[in-house]
Amino acid sequence: MTIQEMQENARKNILNCKVCPVCNGLGCGNTMPGPGSKAPGNGAYDNWKAWQNIKLNMDVFVADGPVDTSTELFGREFSLPILTGPIGTLLQYSKEDVTIPFNDGVMQACAETGIIDCFGDGLAPQTLPGALASLEKHGAAAIPVINPISMEDIKKEMDQVNASNALAVCLVVDSAGLSIWSGGGFGTKTVDQIKALRAYTEKPFLLKGIMTAKNARQAVSAGADGIIVSNHGGRVLPYSASTAEVLPEIVDAVGGQTKIIVDGGIRSGADILKALAMGADGVLICRPFCTAWFGGGAEGVKLVVEKLRGELKEAMYMCGAHSLSEITPEMVRF
Ligand SMILES: Cc1cc2nc3c(=O)[nH]c(=O)nc-3n(C[C@H](O)[C@H](O)[C@H](O)COP(=O)(O)O)c2cc1C
């Protein structure tokens, strides 16, 4: 199967998504439910555009040699600094609820290509146990991403995660304002509540949806082992800054104290190199893996991973880096 064939299949199988040649938020606008951004619908595009405005500096006066994209995250080795992004429910893409087979297929692809899978706990109670069963089946390095539900329910989900072989556990904090979560003791959490959750889990603990240096420092003070710089792909706050825009100040504030992952419109190996050169330890990519699964299941997801691997290797080679540790801030130009 080629990428083009996978995309053609996806167009037949998926609802609400046009499967654009480049997934940049223009085709879906404010389609929610669906893959779009919160009205007026510019968030996903703003994220993508911000990476496009950052350029790479070529360096060809270095010794020739192979390029190694491997990295260590949360105590394990991976072949690429890429994490797949969580999608809590696939109901917005399909008449049938295919969330469990989606999580299974993406996890299989991640295990076979040596990358980390992040999956959502979803809205249905069977989603988390289903994904944890897939995690064991595929021996995947996977991270459940728990919604901002009540403290009691988060702890119940953490109990399931603690009993599994999950690589880490993550709490998504930027979707707190969605009407299903906000109010009634759900939604936003205080730093003390985050500290209590950190203490509750035995796993490395990540927070997804950090967009300011202030929140990044608070996350570190609460004991987060990793933060995901993310605005939920533009789905939670209109006129949120783009993630590429805030990454430098967050790296300045907490770089070296916690792992920094960034997402939002990262679509190529060149974009990944930009994020790493700006100080990220890894990138998370969501929507393209979703369309890839609709177009070709685990094989479709693997095609996209391998495309990104090839592009990252080429970009690193052209900028004079043969390993991730050789990537430097001088490689990007604003
Ligand atoms: C349809 C859809 C559902 C999502 N559901 C979740 C979710 O349940 N939990 C979460 O943390 N992020 C969720 N996200 C956000 C993504 O994980 C990711 O942060 C965002 O899409 C940015 O990455 P991208 O530009 O590569 O898509 C969702 C995104 C989409 C498009």
Side-chain angles (χ1 to χ4, degrees):
M1 189 189 295
T2 64
I3 292 266
Q4 286 71 25
E5 287 164 350
M6 177 273 284
Q7 289 185 329
E8 277 162 32
N9 280 341
R11 282 184 198 106
K12 290 179 207 143
N13 298 336
I14 201 167
L15 296 180
N16 293 321
C17 171
K18 297 187 174 75
V19 191
C20 303
V22 178
C23 173
N24 61 9
L26 280 178
C28 49
N30 66 356
T31 312
M32 276 179 82
S37 309
K38 190 154 184 164
N42 55 307
Y45 176 74
D46 286 353
N47 278 337
W48 175 81
K49 183 72 184 152
W51 295 109
Q52 303 314 297
N53 290 338
I54 300 168
K55 309 295 179 193
L56 289 168
N57 289 321
M58 206 183 280
D59 182 0
V60 288
F61 287 158
V62 290
D64 173 52
V67 174
D68 176 7
T69 59
S70 66
T71 192
E72 185 263 320
L73 282 169
F74 312 113
R76 271 173 73 173
E77 282 287 318
F78 298 98
S79 75
L80 283 165
I82 299 176
L83 297 80
T84 60
I87 293 194
T89 170
L90 272 278
L91 271 173
Q92 36 212 330
Y93 289 104
S94 167
K95 284 193 190 122
E96 312 241 309
D97 190 353
V98 291
T99 309
I100 289 181
F102 166 77
N103 282 336
D104 187 77
V106 177
M107 227 177 278
Q108 180 189 339
C110 289
E112 289 176 5
T113 55
I115 70 168
I116 298 175
D117 172 70
C118 293
F119 62 89
D121 61 349
L123 303 176
Q126 64 272 23
T127 307
L128 180 62
L132 291 174
S134 294
L135 186 160
E136 307 297 334
K137 180 172 90 181
H138 299 298
I143 305 179
V145 180
I146 299 179
N147 279 316
I149 46 183
S150 71
M151 290 293 282
E152 197 191 350
D153 287 342
I154 292 173
K155 286 179 180 170
K156 279 187 195 154
E157 294 201 353
M158 279 181 164
D159 288 340
Q160 296 182 55
V161 178
N162 282 339
S164 77
N165 282 310
L167 179 69
V169 65
C170 179
L171 178 71
V172 53
V173 288
D174 61 1
S175 51
L178 294 180
S179 54
I180 38 170
W181 311 129
S182 60
F186 292 15
T188 51
K189 303 280 179 282
T190 65
V191 175
D192 283 344
Q193 285 177 310
I194 299 289
K195 276 185 189 154
L197 293 173
R198 163 50 308 174
Y200 193 78
T201 180
E202 298 144 19
K203 302 280 180 186
F205 178 65
L206 282 72
L207 291 167
K208 177 171 183 281
I210 302 296
M211 284 296 289
T212 61
K214 176 188 160 198
N215 276 182
R217 280 191 211 96
Q218 288 171 313
V220 169
S221 77
D225 302 286
I227 57 170
I228 304 179
V229 177
S230 173
N231 57 19
H232 221 93
R235 294 167 68 79
V236 291
L237 175 67
Y239 301 101
S240 163
S242 68
T243 50
E245 218 174 332
V246 300
L247 178 62
E249 61 208 51
I250 291 178
V251 168
D252 276 354
V254 300
Q257 298 174 55
T258 190
K259 292 291 180 194
I260 301 175
I261 313 295
V262 61
D263 80 11
I266 295 170
R267 297 292 177 258
S268 67
D271 291 344
I272 298 171
L273 176 55
K274 294 170 201 172
L276 299 177
M278 289 161 67
D281 297 291
V283 303
L284 182 143
I285 298 175
C286 179
R287 293 174 177 96
F289 288 125
C290 176
T291 47
W293 180 80
F294 274 100
E299 191 191 342
V301 175
K302 282 164 70 174
L303 274 179
V304 175
V305 175
E306 294 313 330
K307 180 172 176 286
L308 292 167
R309 190 194 308 277
E311 292 170 352
L312 176 61
K313 279 189 169 183
E314 190 179 313
M316 285 172 62
Y317 185 87
M318 287 304 293
C319 294
H322 291 89
S323 66
L324 297 200
S325 62
E326 289 174 16
I327 296 174
T328 62
E330 291 73 40
M331 290 176 185
V332 279
R333 168 184 295 268
F334 295 91

